[in-house]
Amino acid sequence: MTLKDLGKIHRLIPKLVEDLETGKMGRRDFLRTSTLLGLSATAAYGIVGRITGEDMMPRAHAQEPVRGGILRISMNVKEITDPAIYDWSEKGNIARHIVESLAQVGTDNITRPFLAESWEASDDLSSWTFHLRQGVKWSNGDDFTADDVLFNFERWLDPNVGSSNYGRFALLRGPNDGDPAIENAVVKIDDHTVQFNLREPMLALPESMGDYPALIVHRRFVEEGGNLVDNPVGTGPFKLDRFAVGQEAVLSRREEPYWGGEVYLDGLHYIDHGDDPSAWIAALASGQVDVLYRLFVEQVPIVRNMPDLVLLETPTAQTGVARMKVTEPPFDNPLVRKAIQRCIDHEAILQTAYQNAGVPGEDHHVAPVHPEYAELPKLVQDYDAARELLAEAGYADGLDITIDCVAQPPWEPATCQVIAEMLRPAGINLAVNIMPGGTYWDRWTTAPFGFTSWTHRPLGVQVLDLAYRTGVPWNESSYSNPEFDALLDQASGIYDVDARREVVKQLEEILQGDAVIVQPFWRSEFTATGPGVRDFALHPANEMHINKTWLDNG
């Protein structure tokens, strides 16, 4: 494919090729950016191989897949009523095999078309045209069409629905909290073509369509009850047979042909073994299940000593943040927040609470694995400065505060306990309120001080959109900064990684300087499978894509 041909896909792609050839852009950044602009993943990998001489193309399993069998997965089974308001990866892992997304982010962090067959962007990235796959059937016999896409986006962009997509697709609506979709934000061109018109350019639009709350439900979803369990109409390869929160989810392969080709498994069986990680490992070791949703870092040595099990590990942008609600006293005083921040030794927390299986955080929620990450000067623990800040804030005699966190996984309360120890020399007495998961997650956005785990997103601007933009549903700190929002709009539309990094650096500096969060570290993720599981990969966001997984029981 010539540069002229590449320019027909998008005018920026030839420039990306030149940047790759000159070394200005790295291989992974080229792959991620060019595919977002509409280049197929196959073509993008081919260009990388031609220029660098390195074959990075993902390979299928060398064995011929075997059809049949039930894949059994140990995972918490949470309610899956309405995908628009999903807030846990586990929910998406069940629903994803019933209802599907327009795009899919692979384990290589590359975004590929899914229910959308292809897309193209305008020169300035402010208008995107998505071409939907034809011939895709809902399980009720209806055709999948543009009307389904329009219905979903109308719901997502309604602030009353409470979907995290309200922040994820913020550039399709007005700039203020509570604003509805802008005029002609989502336009049906024909039955299989949808155009998205943004108020500002946005590079990550296709990538955002692969996140788990962006699963596409049928256009009559609300009309027919708004409950995926009671009415599991989907385009995916599996149907829902049985479901019970906290117990199990049982899916079986649909009889009619699947638009995505051959599906090898007869079904999926998610089994909830509770919150005790030893029960998960026992189930895997005894052959009761084939796959663990995740493996806590504390259990990794146990799995390494079991030769029949397969340990999987990947670096990620998974993290946990001790976030302060900036509208609630005493955290409404930035001096208090900064005093807490100055007490922290990020490297020490990583070593103590997470066995050094990651990298230290920097209190701004953009990870080193994000292409636009800009390294800032390291934060240094300084108790003298912390005490001076407290005194200036009116707490010269000390401060008593409480942080809420969940009991599982163990690294979360362990991290909070280490933070408490680090605050004590400055005169800050931090009580750690360890709560059952259900109790904590009922109040995670309202607690004055809470420790929240956040999953991986491929781009730093995606995380900032979800967590720190004014008024979005997942803004648990209630942070609101017009300058930050405006810079985030600007960064979202910059294709050049170096140029975007300059703007993201400003975002990092603002967030770190406002001391909204203490972010101890970025985590590596782990899981394990039995010996007969084939073509299953650990996704950095703990997503399960099982359409091509198969079982080798030979």
Side-chain angles (χ1 to χ4, degrees):
M1 189 177 292
T2 67
L3 286 179
K4 184 177 181 180
D5 293 330
L6 293 173
K8 294 177 182 177
I9 299 172
H10 195 279
R11 69 173 183 86
L12 296 175
I13 295 179
K15 178 63 165 59
L16 299 181
V17 174
E18 292 174 6
D19 289 348
L20 179 65
E21 289 176 326
T22 60
K24 182 181 178 182
M25 174 173 277
R27 295 161 297 178
R28 297 195 182 279
D29 289 342
F30 172 82
L31 290 167
R32 181 180 289 113
T33 306
S34 63
T35 52
L36 288 177
L37 292 174
L39 187 66
S40 73
T42 300
Y45 272 106
I47 291 170
V48 169
R50 176 176 60 81
I51 291 175
T52 68
E54 181 178 355
D55 184 1
M56 298 176 63
M57 181 75 75
R59 300 299 177 192
H61 202 282
Q63 293 176 257
E64 186 68 26
V66 175
R67 188 180 173 97
I70 306 294
L71 187 73
R72 301 159 301 167
I73 304 149
S74 180
M75 185 185 79
N76 289 150
V77 176
K78 302 176 183 293
E79 65 84 19
I80 59 169
T81 302
D82 184 357
I85 56 173
Y86 283 178
D87 49 7
W88 283 91
S89 296
E90 292 97 320
K91 298 180 181 184
N93 282 342
I94 297 172
R96 183 178 296 108
H97 299 96
I98 306 166
V99 289
E100 301 175 303
S101 52
L102 293 178
Q104 191 175 87
V105 181
T107 55
D108 56 359
N109 264 331
I110 303 303
T111 302
R112 295 168 172 83
F114 206 57
L115 281 179
E117 189 169 41
S118 64
W119 55 73
E120 62 251 5
S122 63
D123 285 352
D124 66 352
L125 306 181
S126 65
S127 181
W128 294 74
T129 302
F130 276 62
H131 304 281
L132 309 182
R133 292 188 187 275
Q134 300 190 36
V136 176
K137 292 282 189 180
W138 291 96
S139 54
N140 65 1
D142 290 344
D143 289 325
F144 166 67
T145 70
D147 290 331
D148 297 301
V149 177
L150 265 64
F151 166 77
N152 281 270
F153 271 87
E154 181 179 350
R155 288 193 74 218
W156 296 344
L157 296 174
D158 180 352
N160 297 313
V161 171
S163 174
S164 61
N165 292 325
Y166 185 73
R168 191 172 280 105
F169 301 108
L171 294 180
L172 288 169
R173 59 173 177 82
N176 301 311
D177 182 19
D179 280 350
I182 60 177
E183 186 176 0
N184 294 323
V186 187
V187 178
K188 175 182 174 181
I189 304 300
D190 58 40
D191 281 349
H192 292 92
T193 311
V194 179
Q195 186 178 78
F196 299 91
N197 300 299
L198 303 101
R199 59 179 170 82
E200 298 283 350
M202 182 181 182
L203 173 65
L205 184 68
E207 209 151 39
S208 295
M209 291 182 180
D211 213 343
Y212 63 85
L215 296 170
I216 300 291
V217 297
H218 190 277
R219 54 190 173 272
R220 294 195 299 274
F221 176 76
V222 173
E223 179 184 331
E224 295 179 352
N227 189 320
L228 189 65
V229 175
D230 294 342
N231 188 31
V233 176
T235 57
F238 295 95
K239 62 180 180 177
L240 185 65
D241 295 331
R242 296 196 311 271
F243 183 84
V245 173
Q247 298 180 40
E248 66 174 359
V250 179
L251 297 85
S252 61
R253 187 177 59 233
R254 285 171 54 184
E255 293 180 3
E256 56 270 35
Y258 175 52
W259 67 262
E262 184 75 7
V263 176
Y264 305 110
L265 294 168
D266 292 333
L268 311 174
H269 189 181
Y270 291 92
I271 306 169
D272 193 325
H273 289 99
D275 293 331
D276 182 359
S278 63
W280 313 342
I281 294 179
L284 183 64
S286 62
Q288 297 176 53
V289 296
D290 307 293
V291 176
L292 301 184
Y293 164 63
R294 67 162 38 133
L295 184 70
F296 292 161
V297 67
E298 296 84 1
Q299 317 304 126
V300 168
I302 298 174
V303 172
R304 284 197 172 117
N305 288 325
M306 295 182 175
D308 289 339
L309 302 185
V310 179
L311 178 67
L312 303 176
E313 176 183 357
T314 186
T316 76
Q318 299 256 17
T319 190
V321 297
R323 98 297 180 278
M324 294 161 272
K325 188 168 281 295
V326 300
T327 56
E328 299 288 332
F331 308 109
D332 56 347
N333 188 330
L335 297 174
V336 170
R337 303 197 304 268
K338 290 178 181 180
I340 291 171
Q341 185 184 60
R342 295 309 296 269
C343 295
I344 303 303
D345 181 337
H346 295 75
E347 290 189 3
I349 299 180
L350 174 62
Q351 293 171 2
T352 305
Y354 207 70
Q355 301 186 21
N356 218 27
V359 295
E362 297 173 0
D363 298 352
H364 54 60
H365 216 148
V366 180
V369 299
H370 288 140
E372 67 270 61
Y373 164 78
E375 185 175 1
L376 300 184
K378 297 300 181 186
L379 295 166
V380 178
Q381 188 182 63
D382 187 336
Y383 285 120
D384 289 338
R387 285 186 283 265
E388 289 176 8
L389 288 163
L390 275 182
E392 188 178 350
Y395 297 99
D397 295 329
L399 177 65
D400 295 328
I401 53 177
T402 299
I403 188 169
D404 295 337
C405 70
V406 294
Q408 294 285 358
W411 68 267
E412 295 193 36
T415 299
C416 291
Q417 296 287 4
V418 176
I419 291 174
E421 291 296 322
M422 289 182 175
L423 296 185
R424 190 169 293 117
I428 302 173
N429 298 310
L430 176 65
V432 180
N433 181 28
I434 302 174
M435 310 165 72
T439 304
Y440 178 79
W441 291 109
D442 282 343
R443 56 169 293 178
W444 73 282
T445 59
T446 60
F449 195 18
F451 190 87
T452 306
S453 60
W454 280 82
T455 195
H456 170 99
R457 264 90 192 180
L459 296 178
V461 291
Q462 290 178 289
V463 182
L464 301 182
D465 256 331
L466 291 170
Y468 307 102
R469 183 184 285 277
T470 300
V472 297
W474 286 359
N475 185 343
E476 54 179 334
S477 62
S478 297
Y479 183 64
S480 179
N481 185 329
E483 180 188 4
F484 182 90
D485 292 346
L487 284 169
L488 187 52
D489 284 352
Q490 181 183 347
S492 297
I494 301 174
Y495 88 93
D496 183 275
V497 176
D498 290 337
R500 188 165 76 249
R501 186 176 297 115
E502 289 302 312
V503 180
V504 170
K505 181 179 181 181
Q506 297 177 62
L507 290 165
E508 294 176 4
E509 290 170 340
I510 291 172
L511 200 57
Q512 185 190 83
D514 285 346
V516 179
I517 60 174
V518 168
Q519 183 187 17
F521 47 78
W522 299 97
R523 304 185 295 116
S524 291
E525 275 288 316
F526 304 89
T527 195
T529 75
V533 178
R534 300 288 181 263
D535 289 342
F536 175 87
L538 175 58
H539 194 283
N542 295 119
E543 293 185 359
M544 289 185 169
H545 303 281
I546 306 178
N547 293 359
K548 298 301 180 183
T549 298
W550 57 284
L551 292 171
D552 179 8
N553 294 316

